[in-house]
Amino acid sequence: MALTGVEIFKLLPKTNCKKCGFPTCLAFAMKLAQRQASLDLCPDVSEEARQKLGEASAPPVRPITLGTGENAVKMGEETVLFRHDKRFVNPCVFALGIKDTLSSEEIEKKINEVRNSVIDRVGQKLKIDAIALLNDSGGPEKFENAAKILSEKAPEIPVILCTTNLSAAEVSTKLYSDRKPVLYGANAGNLEDMSGIAKNYKATLGIAASTGGLNELSELTEKVKKLGVEDIVIDPGARKAKEILEHNTLIRRAAIKKNFKPLGYPIITFAQREDNLLETLFAALGVAKYSSIIVLSSIERWKNLALFTLRQNIYTDPQVPMQVEQKIYKIGEPTEESPLLITTNFSLTYFIVSGEVENSKVASYLAVMDCEGLSVLTAWAAGKFTASKIAQFIKESGIEGSIKHRELIIPGYVAILSGSIEDKLEGWKVTVGPREANGIPAFMKSRMK
Amino acid sequence: MAFIPPKETYPGRVYSVSIGTGQKEITVGGENVLPFHSFEGAFSNRPLIAYEIHDVPPSDWPESVQKPYLDVCANPVSWAKYCQDILNAKAIALRLIGTHPDRENRSSEDAAKTVKEVIDSIDIPLIILGSNHTEKDSSVLIAAAEASKDRNCIIGKAQEANYKTIAAAAIANNHKLIAMSELDINLSKQLNILITQMGFDKEKIIIDPMCSALGYGLEYTYSVMERIRLAGLAQNDPTMQQPILGDVGMYVWKVKETIADEKDVPLWGNTEERGIAWEAVTAVSMLIAGAEILVMRHPKAIEAVEKMIDELM
Ligand code: B12
Ligand code: SF4
């Protein structure tokens, strides 16, 4: 169980020396209990207390990194069960499953699919994060060969090596030594050997329960930990949606509400299905319900876009909408004759509108006003996108120095504001644009005539 | 350390609500656990998906979702029968969009006639939706409720601005009522209270917390639905124990991702498959968050979501 503030206080030096930046040891202890401060801030804490507190203050789901360098992805560290309580921390990893029975050309083709999966959405680069190499051949040769191809041709892509064959595990993990792969395939039968391999090459060990479910899984992780492997991902063994939901929920609850360490690890989910749309939905379940790695059998672009977007939605901060900086953005190379449009600083709004202005191929200024990340209508309804605020923003922005004309194009949904903006912005003319951003290219073209 | 499954039981329960009549009557809700958590309580009634049809041809739908209905959508009766008989729909949601003043501006009488014709041609439950024009909906839904009297439909949506007339029509004609508010749990609760204060049975309300599409505010709907369920179950709040409805298709099939041609956005992949996936993923997210009734459009998306429900039940 996590310690309370008072329990933590008892372990601190109680000198109230303030070196931690808090007025008293008790105040510091309270912050520690809420996980809002780090123990390192107190220079005088005893080694014994440090150990006790370290255990207790470790995040309920162990943080684990997959891969190294630029493409490394973090997993775990989650602290809540529901996204409205607090932001989900580390977005799940999508991995493309590649069978070792494929030819080298086919494997290279798949590598390229992963590389080309990057999609820009609302200012974020989203992609398939990893490759899961699957030991469909059953034997070591093909697996080792495929691992070699991956390691040579795609050294930057993080991997999950899925095999229960010890020789295949040894050879492939060695190839990825110090590159933080996951070696998945430890089970009751091969636990010691697999732990040895993971430990030797500093890999994260993927442990699968067979029929014993979560009880078996807990025993396995404890054994592995005793063998000296700390970085673990877990697979409760279920493959049907109903059981996945049950297991993932119980694992996350045990970790967070009971601080049950043996299950405080990221979960790996195998979502492969013959029916591709069903596979997509299955992956969606994993995104919403606590999976940290989701293995897919194919990564078509339509499927990626839907899953990336869901992951982005579920993992956004419920308190702070995604927003962009307030300023006058230049689109193309605007001159002093170029049109000036205005919108709010909600990321989604900004990216849709700037994209459509770009599509119109008319160089423009886009004034983006801080409305605390609210969309146009929401900001208007909340009194943040009002005539006087718009007028003030335009005046203070300095745009009057960059353009000769005095015309402001406003979103069609707030047409009602046009008169009052003209009243407050002397010498300006307000033009009402289309309601939906996709009408902007036609609107801009018609103005050119 | 032995593992003890941290199961949770709740004091509250979602009301069971039945719609339709005769053999095809369907019950939703009734669970005392979070969605599909049958490992710790009762989740026995399957969520229901209704096929959305319109009183006028769906000229505003993107091509990929118009296509499956091209031969039948000129007439709401043939459209409804096609959904019931060929696509095996379990329920129909008839949206009277043609009554909207900015659309065909059809009269309440015309709307009532359409409702009568549709309900007489099917035996599965019917959901009757207005055009979301708060003023016009008041009169249209009164006429629609009368035309379907005693057939145990769901009518809606009643909003803060028009709930009185619509709720009264639902009482008079024995229907269930959708109470819709805008993405805010407190507004939703408040509307339910206002409606019950009129003498409307709280167990005949369906909550619509307002849907939003994947990529366009889905996270807000998702969290409001989760919070409503938790309020009903964990806090045993009787004003938050109604089944939840997600009006999925309407919000999904207007976003760029379901419309844009692959030629214009090659990075987004096949247009049709993208649209179907968009609707299905939005729908499954709503189910996981707490929706018991979904209104959807594309037959392939519905089929996939039904398969997912099979696996989750
Ligand atoms: C998600 C949402 C919220 C979220 C906020 C999300 C956010 N970050 O803004 C939350 C839940 C917080 C919220 C709150 C409220 N909301 Co709200 N919300 C929505 C919802 C569902 C989607 C908004 C959205 O993200 N749209 C997508 C973005 C991209 O749209 P957009 O910014 O308008 O941009 C489009 C166009 O305007 C145009 N455009 C944008 N800029 C420009 C510029 C130019 C020059 C041009 C030409 C075009 C253009 O292009 C874009 C794409 O086409 C809408 C309903 C809906 N489906 O639209 C209601 C909606 C906006 N909300 C509404 C209301 C009333 C509220 C609240 C006041 C009520 C409440 N529930 O408490 C509060 C106010 C907020 C507050 N007090 O803090 C109403 C507004 C009613 C009205 N007509 O004024 C709406 C329309 C709901 C409704 N009635 O149907 N909301
Ligand atoms: S630095 Fe340590 S000893 Fe000093 S006040 Fe902070 S917690 Fe107490």
Side-chain angles (χ1 to χ4, degrees):
Chain A
M1 284 298 277
L3 297 181
T4 65
V6 174
E7 284 164 335
I8 296 174
F9 171 68
K10 287 185 188 149
L11 296 165
L12 293 175
K14 302 196 206 63
T15 56
N16 297 338
C17 75
K18 299 192 176 66
K19 280 186 258 179
C20 56
F22 293 90
T24 60
C25 294
L26 183 61
F28 182 55
M30 291 300 169
K31 285 285 167 196
L32 283 179
Q34 294 162 14
R35 297 183 205 283
Q36 286 173 353
S38 153
L39 186 61
D40 303 337
L41 293 173
C42 171
D44 303 328
V45 69
S46 73
E47 203 36 56
E48 187 207 343
R50 187 179 297 280
Q51 226 182 8
K52 275 194 192 155
L53 286 168
E55 279 266 299
S57 66
V61 182
R62 187 177 167 81
I64 286 171
T65 305
L66 171 64
T68 48
E70 244 180 57
N71 290 300
V73 269
K74 285 170 89 182
M75 308 182 288
E77 287 187 285
E78 301 301 336
T79 59
V80 294
L81 285 154
F82 298 102
R83 63 176 296 285
H84 57 258
D85 287 331
K86 203 167 173 209
R87 185 170 76 89
F88 285 180
V89 183
N90 288 316
C92 54
V93 168
F94 290 123
L96 171 63
I98 296 184
K99 297 176 178 169
D100 66 352
T101 48
L102 298 184
S103 70
S104 36
E105 294 80 57
E106 285 168 320
I107 293 179
E108 284 182 43
K109 229 179 106 199
K110 297 257 178 197
I111 292 174
N112 279 331
E113 270 185 59
V114 173
R115 283 207 179 109
N116 294 331
S117 67
V118 183
I119 300 178
D120 232 313
R121 202 188 134 80
V122 200
Q124 293 185 340
K125 281 209 183 320
L126 309 169
K127 62 176 193 307
I128 296 294
D129 314 275
I131 287 174
L133 183 60
L134 310 170
N135 195 187
D136 277 37
S137 68
E141 294 84 15
K142 290 204 159 129
F143 194 83
E144 291 165 18
N145 197 33
K148 235 173 250 146
I149 299 174
L150 288 181
S151 152
E152 277 164 22
K153 306 273 175 176
E156 84 286 6
I157 302 177
V159 295
I160 299 147
L161 302 160
C162 307
T163 179
T164 49
N165 180 296
L166 291 178
S167 158
E170 166 77 31
V171 173
S172 62
T173 312
K174 187 172 180 190
L175 283 173
Y176 277 90
S177 174
D178 288 320
R179 284 199 267 163
K180 296 250 40 157
V182 171
L183 169 61
Y184 166 90
N187 54 39
N190 64 15
L191 207 63
E192 289 191 15
D193 293 318
M194 292 292 263
S195 299
I197 299 171
K199 210 174 144 187
N200 266 346
Y201 304 117
K202 300 203 183 73
T204 295
L205 189 61
I207 305 178
S210 55
T211 50
L214 300 184
N215 203 27
E216 180 192 353
L217 193 58
S218 318
E219 281 167 13
L220 294 178
T221 62
E222 286 202 295
K223 278 190 193 146
V224 164
K225 206 174 161 194
K226 286 208 187 88
L227 293 167
V229 177
E230 303 241 302
D231 286 346
I232 294 170
V233 298
I234 52 179
D235 171 9
R239 292 293 176 268
K240 282 203 77 145
K242 180 185 161 96
E243 280 91 46
I244 296 269
L245 176 67
E246 170 181 346
H247 286 170
N248 285 16
T249 305
L250 290 174
I251 289 173
R252 183 65 85 79
R253 256 193 218 157
I256 285 169
K257 294 186 121 173
K258 309 278 175 205
N259 211 14
F260 184 71
K261 292 294 176 196
L263 293 180
Y265 299 102
I267 303 170
I268 181 167
T269 298
F270 290 86
Q272 299 105 309
R273 279 287 190 280
E274 232 154 70
D275 178 336
N276 201 5
L277 184 54
L278 196 59
E279 172 170 320
T280 309
L281 299 182
F282 203 70
L285 172 69
V287 174
K289 287 290 160 187
Y290 319 135
S291 298
S292 285
I293 301 177
I294 298 174
V295 181
L296 302 164
S297 67
S298 67
I299 50 169
E300 291 80 4
R301 291 194 152 141
W302 56 266
K303 178 175 170 187
N304 291 352
L305 186 66
L307 288 176
F308 294 167
T309 307
L310 180 67
R311 176 175 64 179
Q312 193 177 44
N313 283 174
I314 295 289
Y315 279 85
T316 52
D317 192 327
Q319 258 82 51
V320 198
M322 285 166 58
Q323 32 188 300
V324 294
E325 191 192 337
Q326 155 164 311
K327 67 174 193 193
I328 311 269
Y329 291 80
K330 288 182 183 172
I331 297 177
E333 285 171 25
T335 66
E336 42 186 34
E337 315 289 345
S338 298
L340 169 67
L341 303 92
I342 188 163
T343 189
T344 66
N345 74 330
F346 180 34
S347 287
L348 184 62
T349 304
Y350 165 74
F351 283 102
I352 293 175
V353 174
S354 60
E356 295 295 353
V357 176
E358 236 165 76
N359 285 346
S360 76
K361 307 220 158 54
V362 176
S364 308
Y365 293 100
L366 180 60
V368 174
M369 187 171 134
D370 182 2
C371 298
E372 292 165 30
L374 294 180
S375 76
V376 167
L377 273 181
T378 317
W380 176 75
K384 298 188 195 325
F385 197 56
T386 60
S388 47
K389 287 185 179 158
I390 291 172
Q392 187 188 358
F393 167 53
I394 292 293
K395 271 187 207 139
E396 289 172 1
S397 71
I399 183 70
E400 287 175 320
S402 314
I403 50 173
K404 268 196 186 150
H405 66 82
R406 291 289 178 262
E407 182 191 16
L408 178 64
I409 302 167
I410 63 169
Y413 280 115
V414 290
I416 193 167
L417 292 178
S418 68
S420 42
I421 298 175
E422 282 181 354
D423 290 346
K424 297 194 163 89
L425 259 186
E426 222 166 287
W428 280 72
K429 172 174 175 279
V430 171
T431 300
V432 176
R435 293 176 143 220
E436 296 296 336
N438 59 17
I440 290 178
F443 168 78
M444 297 287 251
K445 255 169 231 138
S446 71
R447 283 167 48 89
M448 300 295 284
K449 285 172 195 150
Chain B
M1 222 189 286
F3 173 71
I4 304 152
K7 296 194 178 170
E8 284 181 4
T9 51
Y10 302 102
R13 179 185 283 275
V14 178
Y15 304 129
S16 331
V17 176
S18 301
I19 56 168
T21 52
Q23 288 198 326
K24 296 282 172 75
E25 188 189 82
I26 289 182
T27 304
V28 294
E31 67 270 20
N32 61 358
V33 286
L34 291 172
F36 306 108
H37 284 39
S38 37
F39 56 91
E40 54 192 359
F43 194 88
S44 30
N45 289 321
R46 193 186 162 92
L48 173 67
I49 305 179
Y51 274 77
E52 176 174 346
I53 69 169
H54 284 190
D55 57 340
V56 291
S59 53
D60 57 326
W61 291 14
E63 199 186 311
S64 15
V65 65
Q66 268 197 46
K67 217 168 55 184
Y69 304 112
L70 277 183
D71 294 339
V72 294
C73 65
N75 176 334
V77 170
S78 53
W79 193 353
K81 284 183 75 68
Y82 177 73
C83 292
Q84 172 183 279
D85 300 336
I86 309 294
L87 301 175
N88 296 318
K90 293 174 179 152
I92 302 282
L94 168 63
R95 195 185 303 279
L96 300 165
I97 194 73
T99 61
H100 197 287
D102 297 344
R103 291 283 304 258
E104 288 75 358
N105 201 13
R106 297 177 79 228
S107 67
S108 302
E109 294 75 42
D110 284 346
K113 196 165 156 266
T114 304
V115 168
K116 183 104 187 61
E117 285 168 4
V118 168
I119 203 162
D120 285 343
S121 67
I122 56 172
D123 58 0
I124 50 178
L126 182 67
I127 300 173
I128 304 169
L129 302 167
S131 66
N132 264 1
H133 186 280
T134 44
E135 276 163 54
K136 187 78 185 270
D137 275 1
S138 300
S139 55
V140 166
L141 289 173
I142 292 174
E146 279 166 10
S148 52
K149 188 174 174 62
D150 294 331
R151 301 291 290 267
N152 198 17
C153 301
I154 300 178
I155 68 163
K157 306 169 178 178
Q159 306 180 43
E160 198 191 324
N162 62 10
Y163 73 90
K164 283 195 181 141
T165 46
I166 300 173
I171 297 180
N173 300 288
N174 275 323
H175 295 306
K176 307 298 186 308
L177 178 72
I178 302 171
M180 181 182 116
S181 48
E182 283 152 7
L183 283 177
D184 182 312
I185 184 168
N186 296 316
L187 292 180
S188 171
K189 187 177 153 80
Q190 188 190 329
L191 183 59
N192 287 353
I193 293 173
L194 288 172
I195 291 173
T196 46
Q197 276 171 353
M198 289 176 56
F200 196 89
D201 184 352
K202 64 179 184 313
E203 301 190 18
K204 291 187 170 177
I205 296 175
I206 309 288
I207 299 177
D208 178 358
M210 192 155 108
C211 194
S212 40
L214 176 61
Y216 293 83
L218 173 123
E219 66 273 31
Y220 294 97
T221 301
Y222 185 90
S223 284
V224 172
M225 284 185 179
E226 282 200 326
R227 290 179 60 201
I228 291 176
R229 266 298 147 269
L230 285 168
L233 297 174
Q235 282 137 47
N236 203 5
D237 179 344
T239 64
M240 296 267 81
Q241 285 171 336
Q242 294 79 4
I244 298 176
L245 175 136
D247 200 351
V248 172
M250 161 171 130
Y251 288 96
V252 165
W253 291 101
K254 67 174 188 190
V255 307
K256 187 160 182 175
E257 282 81 350
T258 61
I259 302 171
D261 196 287
E262 185 173 2
K263 281 200 284 309
D264 301 323
V265 277
L267 279 179
W268 287 3
N270 183 282
T271 311
E272 189 170 343
E273 284 176 293
R274 187 191 331 127
I276 293 168
W278 217 258
E279 183 171 34
V281 168
T282 307
V284 164
S285 312
M286 301 293 102
L287 290 176
I288 297 170
E292 279 88 2
I293 304 174
L294 299 177
V295 177
M296 295 179 64
R297 290 184 179 172
H298 203 293
K300 288 211 174 115
I302 296 175
E303 185 189 278
V305 177
E306 290 283 11
K307 278 192 208 157
M308 191 67 185
I309 297 174
D310 287 342
E311 261 206 42
L312 281 163
M313 286 302 291

